[in-house]
Structure formats: C-alpha cells, structure tokens
Amino acid sequence: MPRTTPFQNPQAALLAALLLVSFAVLPVSAATVIDDAGTHVTLNTTPQRIVSLAPSNTEILAALGLTGRLVGITDVCNYPPEVNTVPRIGGYSAISTEKVSAARPDLVIASDITPAETTARLRALGLNVVVVAPRNIDDMIRDIRLVGALTGTDAEAERLAWNLSSRLANLGTAERPAGTRPTIAHVVWNNPLYVSGNDTLQNDVIEHAGGTNAFARVSGWGTVSLEEFLMTNPDIIIVNGGGGMDNETRDVILEDFMTRPQYASLSAVKIHRVYAVKADTISRAGPRIVDATEQVAADVREMTRAESGGSTGLAPTARTPGFCAAGTVLFIAAFVFLVQRRR
C-alpha cells in the first residue's frame, strides 16, 4: 500500500498547519534570571526600552553601552553625563508609576531602595520588573552579568566584569595579614558623625583596599559620638567628598576634620591621612565603586610606604567636586532610608 503523506490526508494536513502556526507565534525566551529579591524573571524578547529606578543601576546600564535604550531614570541619576537627557520618573522613594508606565518600558530595573509597593504596582500594570540590589562588590560584578543576560549584552558584561575583577586582584591586598591592616573610618556626614559600619558597601571597599573598618561594630550606617570617634582614633579617615553650600569645589567634611579643634588629637589629622572620595562614587554599587576602592587602596599604600621610610611614588589623592545643599540633604536622606530598610 502506498504511504499517505500529510498533504494527502486532510486531517493530518490540518494538524501540521496548526503546529506550524503555534511554533510561529510562541515566543522564544530571551532570558530567565533570578533577581536579587529571589524572583524568577523571564523576558521573551530583548528589551529595547528600559527604565532604571536607581543611580547604581543606571551606571551599570551605561557601562554596558545601553544609554540609548534608557527611557526613564530617577531624579538623582547623574552619571555618566549623557544620561542627563533621559526623562525623569521621580526620586528614590517617590517614583511616579504613571510616568514609568507612560514610558512604555519592556524592562524596569528596580533596587532594594525601591518601595515594595511601587514594585508590586508596576508588576500589576504588566511591566517586567527585575530587582538589582548588590550589597557588596562581588554582588555588583555578578549583577553586571545578570543585566547583560537580560539585555542581550552578555559579551560586554563579561568583558566589564573581567576588567573590574582584574583591577581588584591587582590591588594585591587580599593576602594582607589582619594585624598589618590599618584601621579606616568612612564618614558619610560630620554633624552628627555618621559612619559606615558592617554590612555596608563601604565596609567592603575598605576590606578590598587592604584596611579594617574602624567601626565594624556599628550595624549598617549609624551615628557615633565625638568621644567614641576620638577613642577609636582610626589610622585613616575617608570622608564623602563635596557637600558645599554652592557650586564651588569644596570638601566640607574634609575641611571640618582638618580645621576644627575637636579633631586635632586624631592621628589621621596630625599626619594628614584624611582623604575625600567623591560621594556618589563610593556610595553607589556600580562599576565606579572599583574606582573608589583603588583610591582607598592608594591611601593605604601611601601610609605603608611612609611608615617604612620609602617614597610613595603616588600623586596626592584628588579633591572631589562639591555639590549643592539640596544634593547633600538628598544623599543623607537616601542613606537613612536605606539603613531603616535594612534594619
């Protein structure tokens, strides 16, 4: 008996046609990831319209060459400069879901600072939301790869992650014995004295740079008294750069430490080991956190060489640009908000 082909059997032909149509319309998954909130997120197509709800995530996207896909960022996203033309959708905790929705994004990248109700509302509107919230430098490098997988920039993400990891490895601080590590305080603000304790990004910076956090006993970010600070007497003091009341280049916290009599007894003040690092560079879990780590590591090397009687061979640590009072208040408010969320 001759074999019947599907086209000679009307029922078989209909079934084959239906299968072809179904395969044609079923989407092929572009990526499936588990975000930093533990949520499985699947994108069926490579996103072309992206909204970022945190400056650190905006910087990751820009470092992957995705600035052109941004259709919405927060009011405090300011780096790199080319993002300044991207429409604004609100602040850290005052995000306009209406503006986000109106931007018609196919991907929204939130953070742990994004209010949970905002994230839920955006998902209820049918938007793809992924939470990218690295807590340390290793998390940040991992999240670069995650964002790369979601956006079809895997190769760029791998190159960036490799570059950042190599720069950290080249610091040569990983094997430094605990007893030889200088104590380092990171001061977020000076009135009151607001420092970075354990379980903070800045604690991770200090450890990668070859130091020990002088206030590791503080949980997260917190205030300490002047007496406690003086008794701790850290070997090196890192302060947030900027903070001027106008647009002049002023590092007001640095100036405070170096000129006010109450700090004169500190060893770091006496021998000029108080350094400013630009505030958003050391506070954002994006690629520039490695820049901050390299700067702190250079300060540690400078101290080590000075104590051994050798020349540092290093240029002085650069002063950082100041920023307006409103920016200062917003920065501190963001830190307080994050501390409260983590507690």
Side-chain angles (χ1 to χ4, degrees), residues 15-307:
L15 178 59
L18 289 174
L19 286 172
L20 286 173
V21 170
S22 65
F23 280 123
V25 299
L26 283 176
V28 177
S29 175
T32 297
V33 301
I34 301 176
D35 70 8
D36 289 344
T39 303
H40 285 75
V41 179
T42 297
L43 297 186
N44 295 321
T45 58
T46 301
Q48 300 300 317
R49 300 178 63 83
I50 303 172
V51 168
S52 169
L53 304 186
S56 55
N57 293 334
T58 298
E59 294 193 20
I60 289 175
L61 289 162
L64 293 177
L66 297 170
T67 306
R69 298 193 207 175
L70 285 170
V71 293
I73 57 176
T74 72
D75 296 339
V76 287
C77 294
N78 60 357
Y79 188 89
E82 51 264 33
V83 305
N84 290 328
T85 59
V86 179
R88 307 288 165 154
I89 46 78
Y92 275 126
S93 56
I95 294 164
S96 169
T97 54
E98 291 79 9
K99 288 183 178 180
V100 174
S101 179
R104 297 180 291 107
D106 38 28
L107 176 62
V108 178
I109 303 185
S111 77
D112 57 350
I113 303 177
T114 307
E117 56 271 22
T118 299
T119 302
R121 172 62 178 158
L122 292 174
R123 284 178 173 150
L125 291 172
L127 299 178
N128 295 312
V129 182
V130 61
V131 176
V132 174
R135 299 174 66 90
N136 53 49
I137 297 174
D138 289 342
D139 284 355
M140 183 271 297
I141 293 174
R142 179 204 65 209
D143 281 341
I144 285 174
R145 292 187 171 99
L146 182 148
V147 173
L150 285 172
T151 58
T153 56
D154 304 73
E156 292 85 348
E158 192 58 41
R159 282 194 293 269
L160 178 59
W162 183 88
N163 175 267
L164 296 174
S165 297
S166 297
R167 288 166 59 188
L168 291 171
N170 288 337
L171 294 177
T173 58
E175 303 303 322
R176 187 188 297 271
T180 66
R181 288 174 169 254
T183 57
I184 303 176
H186 174 246
V187 180
V188 178
W189 192 241
N190 59 315
N191 187 23
L193 284 166
Y194 198 60
V195 300
S196 299
N198 59 55
D199 194 29
T200 64
L201 182 63
Q202 294 73 33
N203 181 81
D204 203 39
V205 167
I206 289 170
E207 292 184 351
H208 273 86
T212 298
N213 191 345
F215 291 99
R217 60 187 176 276
V218 175
S219 179
W221 293 275
T223 57
V224 296
S225 67
L226 174 61
E227 292 74 18
E228 185 178 358
F229 199 97
L230 295 176
M231 288 183 65
T232 301
N233 195 21
D235 297 318
I236 295 173
I237 300 173
I238 303 296
V239 303
N240 276 358
M245 299 302 290
D246 48 39
N247 291 325
E248 294 182 6
T249 301
R250 289 185 58 219
D251 292 321
V252 296
I253 308 177
L254 176 64
E255 291 176 7
D256 205 40
F257 269 96
M258 298 306 296
T259 60
R260 289 188 178 272
Q262 63 261 41
Y263 300 123
S265 65
L266 289 167
S267 299
V269 171
K270 290 179 180 179
I271 53 183
H272 300 280
R273 289 182 187 149
V274 184
Y275 305 95
V277 179
K278 191 173 182 180
D280 57 10
T281 303
I282 199 170
S283 66
R284 296 177 182 176
R288 289 194 298 160
I289 197 65
V290 176
D291 297 349
T293 305
E294 289 174 331
Q295 185 174 344
V296 177
D299 298 334
V300 171
R301 288 195 303 270
E302 184 176 354
M303 173 182 172
T304 302
R305 294 180 186 182
E307 289 184 342

Side-chain angles (χ1 to χ4, degrees), residues 2-14:
R3 178 178 297 174
T4 301
T5 67
F7 298 100
Q8 293 172 318
N9 186 323
Q11 292 180 337
L14 179 60

